[in-house]
């Protein structure tokens, strides 16, 4: 298949779906005469008398076919990721448009992760939005805006993982900030708007730091004799990093790590994460926590290759290990005091991002392979947990842990999926997070005294986080509680079940993905 087409489709497909939703909204009649997904409803012109009838039991709104258009882009992303993975393993990296789009093994791996998490989020969205409309918390217009923004969000993330130009990478990650700000404030309540503004301010500060870091790397590249057109080309910089000025590069890398670290939920610019994740719609929280944080970390991994070649591995090792330990300590402490289950999941994301950063700091082939596997496992499990938490919120009307009891007794499908997702996040076998955390621990303990102590401290903090998660989730799942009974056929569960099955399968064996995982680790310095 044409390489340019494969490289373009993961970005173009979500944009095309977004345009379809936008055009559907533009052509839709008055909302009072449309179905719950924008299709016209025939209304009689002559008034008629309707005999009184007994009220029917409450029904969920019927979904229109357009509700499922959003699944087109995840399927396209997964298909292109699979084809690119096969091509990269056979023929090496592929590029198009003078290197602006480039696919190596890491690109293919991240496309598969983005596609899988997007399939879970977009597959569960129709049922979630239908219930939001039924409860009067959303309108048809808000739903169309939601779909357009989610598809633009997917396009921006795919561009970030597929570009070979560090300038375009910065633009793509900045685009995710702009798009998701509107999604965080989707409900237009006071708390959601405050969370959106907090997200914009903090992440804009982080992105500004990343921009300054990118400019410094460009400056160092130009003074090293690299042509203007290739001064931000990642393969060129990785190959000629030894020519870069060490002082300028050190400052640039520090700013980039702090800047993109803000999008990844790492300290010191992490404060937006719990507010944004707790206020965004469930599927948006799943995408933000499941892949947006990992996409930002992938950008740091790209820069780490340049830094190691220019400065030696000790600089990024110390920087990333220190940030990882501080973030993990903060997340563990906040989890102990947490009383809101959506914020609990957000702080759990900080914990897992810090473990991935620790794997990057260790930098051995085993550590990097485990970190990439952790990205996939966390994306699958966390997206399932957030989507299930959205349904719990709709059923109970609260995000307070103390007010939710007896989920397994009253809503066994939702409670069971949520509980299993938390078990996966706690790194129990057979889920892939068990294998990835074990790999990071083995690599860290074998890496030397300093990293061995850092790894030991991380394991202790992860144990504290596990205890906090287990205690609060057990409270929600067990015992009696005023939970509404679920419908006989609870919708939207199939994507969540599929996500948990995929997470467990990765924990048992990576199968055909083994070579891709090792090649992706090699692409970011795991030699």
């Amino acid at each position: 298949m044409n390489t340019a087409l494969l490289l373009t489709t993961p970005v173009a497909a979500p944009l095309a779906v977004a345009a379809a939703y936008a055009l559907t909204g533009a052509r839709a009649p008055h909302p009072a005469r449309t179905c719950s997904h924008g299709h016209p409803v025939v209304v009689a012109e002559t008034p008629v008398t309707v005999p009184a009838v007994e009220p029917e039991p409450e029904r969920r709104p019927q979904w229109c076919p357009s509700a499922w258009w959003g699944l087109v882009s995840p399927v396209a992303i997964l298909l292109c990721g699979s084809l690119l993975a096969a091509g990269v393993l056979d023929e090496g990296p592929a590029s198009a448009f003078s290197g602006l789009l480039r696919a190596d093994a890491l690109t293919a791996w991240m496309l598969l992760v983005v596609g899988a998490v997007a399939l879970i989020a977009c597959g569960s969205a129709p049922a979630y939005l239908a219930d939001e409309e039924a409860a009067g918390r959303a309108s048809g217009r808000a739903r169309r805006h939601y779909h357009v923004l989610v598809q633009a969000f997917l396009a921006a993330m795919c561009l970030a993982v597929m570009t070979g130009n560090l300038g375009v990478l910065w633009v793509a990650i900045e685009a995710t900030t702009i798009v998701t700000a509107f999604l965080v404030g989707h409900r237009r309540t006071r708390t959601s708007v405050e969370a959106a503004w907090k997200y914009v301010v903090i992440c804009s500060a982080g992105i500004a730091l990343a921009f300054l870091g990118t400019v410094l790397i460009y400056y160092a590249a130009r003074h090293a004799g690299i042509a203007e057109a290739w001064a931000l080309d990642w393969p060129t910089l990785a190959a000629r990093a030894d020519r870069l000025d060490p002082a300028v590069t050190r400052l640039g890398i520090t700013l980039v790590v702090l800047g993109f670290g803000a999008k990844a939920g790492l300290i010191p610019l992490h404060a937006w994460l719990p507010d944004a994740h707790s206020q965004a719609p469930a599927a948006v929280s799943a995408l933000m926590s499941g892949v947006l944080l990992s996409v930002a970390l992938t950008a740091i991994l790209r820069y780490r290759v340049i830094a190691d070649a220019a400065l030696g591995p000790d600089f990024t090792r110390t920087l990333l290990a220190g940030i990882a330990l501080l973030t993990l300590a903060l997340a563990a402490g906040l989890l102990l005091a947490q009383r809101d289950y959506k914020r609990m999941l957000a702080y759990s994301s900080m914990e897992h991002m810090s473990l991935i950063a620790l794997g990057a700091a260790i930098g051995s082939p085993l550590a990097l392979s485990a970190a990439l596997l952790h990205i996939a496992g966390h994306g699958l499990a966390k997206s399932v947990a957030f989507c299930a938490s959205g349904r719990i919120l709709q059923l109970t009307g609260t995000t307070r842990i103390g007010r939710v009891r007896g989920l397994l007794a009253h809503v066994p499908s939702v409670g069971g999926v949520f509980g299993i997702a938390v078990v996966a996040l706690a790194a129990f076998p057979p889920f892939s997070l068990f294998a990835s955390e074990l790999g990071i621990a083995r690599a860290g303990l074998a890496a030397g005294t300093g990293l061995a102590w850092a790894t030991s401290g991380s394991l202790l903090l992860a144990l504290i986080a596990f205890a906090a998660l287990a205690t609060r989730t057990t409270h929600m799942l067990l015992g009696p509680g005023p939970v509404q009974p679920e419908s006989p056929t609870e919708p939207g569960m199939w994507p969540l079940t599929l996500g948990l099955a995929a997470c467990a399968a990765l924990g048992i064996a990576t199968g055909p993905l083994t070579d891709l995982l090792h090649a992706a680790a090699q692409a970011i310095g795991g030699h």
Side-chain angles (χ1 to χ4, degrees), residues 288-300:
M288 292 177 71
S289 185
V291 281
L292 176 59
L293 305 183
S294 299
V295 166
L297 262 181
T298 303
I300 293 176

Side-chain angles (χ1 to χ4, degrees), residues 137 341 391-400 403 484:
R137 291 188 292 266
Y341 56 82
R391 184 64 186 135
I392 293 171
L393 174 59
Q394 289 177 332
L395 290 170
T396 63
T398 181
T399 59
R400 302 292 293 177
R403 297 179 184 176
Q484 298 178 8

Side-chain angles (χ1 to χ4, degrees), residues 295-368:
V295 166
L297 262 181
T298 303
I300 293 176
L301 292 177
R302 295 283 189 190
Y303 274 96
R304 174 187 165 277
V305 176
I306 299 171
D308 286 356
L311 308 170
D314 289 340
F315 175 72
T316 52
R317 180 175 296 160
T318 303
L319 180 62
L320 289 174
I323 290 176
L325 275 174
L326 291 175
T327 304
L328 186 53
L330 180 64
L334 292 172
L335 279 171
L336 286 173
Q338 197 48 239
R339 299 294 180 265
D340 183 300
Y341 56 82
K342 290 194 75 175
R343 294 174 72 90
M344 175 185 75
L345 295 176
Y347 288 123
S348 170
S349 296
M350 290 177 58
E351 173 210 349
H352 287 282
M353 290 303 108
S354 62
L355 290 175
I356 297 169
L358 179 63
I362 297 168
S364 65
L366 175 59
L368 292 175

